[in-house]
Amino acid sequence: MIRGTSPTAMNKRGTKVHLDGYVFDSQKEADFYERFIKHGGYQFKVHPKFNLITKRNIGRVNIGEISYKPDIVVYNKCGKMMHVYDVKNSFGAYGIDQSVKLRFRMFAMKFKIPVEAVVVRKHDFKVIAQGVTKPLVDKEPFITSTVKYDWIKATRI
């Protein structure tokens, strides 16, 4: 396991982290992969690209596509998306701004699964499904140390 770093244009405050043949946007992303995804027993992809809106021509001009690359997507044994993760520093406006929330909502509407924002902690991670409505009582983040949970019920499986 060799870690290397290189500057990144998109993450100007941090560096890219190279680990196991993947390139992560931050050390937090790499830590999440290494601690909770790598040996989780499920298939996964790092930074897969999903097209949310295709490029369109309106008259003489083109409107560019809108795409989204989650940090990690975990698939169940049948190959269906189980979790779509985006690692964040916090759940507040600094960590998840309005443009990010909109992209998360567009993803959920198109692919029928919400993006789960993750904040990595020392021994576990906090997760919230973005863009879904829940009763006010259930607004607290779910805390877990495994990807083996149902995001709808917020219970381990």
Side-chain angles (χ1 to χ4, degrees), residues 7-16 25-26:
T8 170
M10 292 190 58
N11 183 3
K12 294 178 182 167
R13 288 171 269 173
T15 55
K16 297 233 181 211
D25 293 332
S26 68

Side-chain angles (χ1 to χ4, degrees), residues 68 70 72-74 81-86 107 113-117:
Y68 170 58
I72 296 172
V73 177
V74 177
M81 280 190 275
M82 187 167 114
H83 299 291
V84 179
Y85 290 122
D86 206 291
F107 182 92
I113 183 169
V115 175
E116 297 174 62

Side-chain angles (χ1 to χ4, degrees), residues 20-64:
D20 294 344
Y22 300 109
V23 180
F24 297 96
D25 293 332
S26 68
Q27 185 62 51
K28 285 185 189 247
E29 261 183 44
D31 289 345
F32 179 68
Y33 155 77
E34 193 167 37
R35 293 169 52 204
F36 305 109
I37 303 298
K38 182 177 179 178
H39 300 292
Y42 292 96
Q43 294 293 316
F44 62 89
K45 290 184 181 176
V46 175
H47 295 135
K49 182 179 179 181
F50 292 91
N51 191 10
L52 303 177
I53 297 178
T54 58
K55 178 180 173 182
R56 296 218 171 102
N57 179 298
I58 55 170
R60 294 183 178 188
V61 296
N62 290 320
I63 304 297

Side-chain angles (χ1 to χ4, degrees), residues 60-78:
R60 294 183 178 188
V61 296
N62 290 320
I63 304 297
E65 74 173 21
I66 297 175
S67 60
Y68 170 58
K69 287 184 176 183
D71 295 328
I72 296 172
V73 177
V74 177
Y75 298 88
N76 67 16
K77 305 292 184 196
C78 299

Side-chain angles (χ1 to χ4, degrees), residues 106-123:
M106 291 170 67
F107 182 92
M109 291 175 78
K110 182 168 184 175
F111 294 100
K112 310 293 188 245
I113 183 169
V115 175
E116 297 174 62
V118 169
V119 174
V120 181
R121 302 181 338 156
K122 187 173 183 176
H123 300 290

